[in-house]
């Protein structure tokens, strides 16, 4: 259930955050800065960072557990 709720929240936030881009003649650093640090994009950026940290910790913990108990 948690996974479904998380996916719904992320997909809804992604649709709002990805609704626009800067004009095509803007530089790549400016475009990237807008997508990652724009105030209206920060909630999605925070969710992605938090999700990445949780995923990394989960995978790291799983790898440590498997190395302690070889099959």
């Amino acid at each position: 259930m948690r996974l479904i709720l998380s996916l719904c929240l992320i997909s809804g936030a992604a649709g709002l955050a990805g609704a626009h881009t800067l004009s095509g003649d803007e530089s790549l650093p400016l475009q990237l800065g807008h997508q990652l640090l724009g105030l209206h994009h920060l909630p999605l950026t925070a969710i992605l960072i938090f999700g990445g940290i949780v995923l990394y910790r989960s995978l790291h913990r799983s790898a440590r557990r498997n190395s302690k108990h070889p099959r």
Side-chain angles (χ1 to χ4, degrees):
M1 183 64 181
R2 265 192 248 166
L3 179 61
I4 293 172
L5 180 61
S6 299
L7 289 174
C8 289
L9 289 173
I10 289 172
S11 65
L16 290 174
H20 70 282
T21 59
L22 297 178
S23 62
D25 58 342
E26 298 292 344
S27 67
L28 181 61
L30 189 60
Q31 294 248 2
L32 208 53
H34 173 79
Q35 292 295 329
L36 295 176
L37 302 174
L39 286 178
H40 53 283
H41 295 282
L42 277 178
L44 180 61
T45 302
I47 289 171
L48 290 174
I49 290 171
F50 179 74
I53 291 170
V54 168
L55 180 64
Y56 173 79
R57 289 182 63 175
S58 173
L59 291 173
H60 184 68
R61 189 176 303 134
S62 175
R64 266 194 336 177
R65 206 175 311 130
N66 287 339
S67 68
K68 287 182 180 179
H69 302 290
R71 293 178 184 188

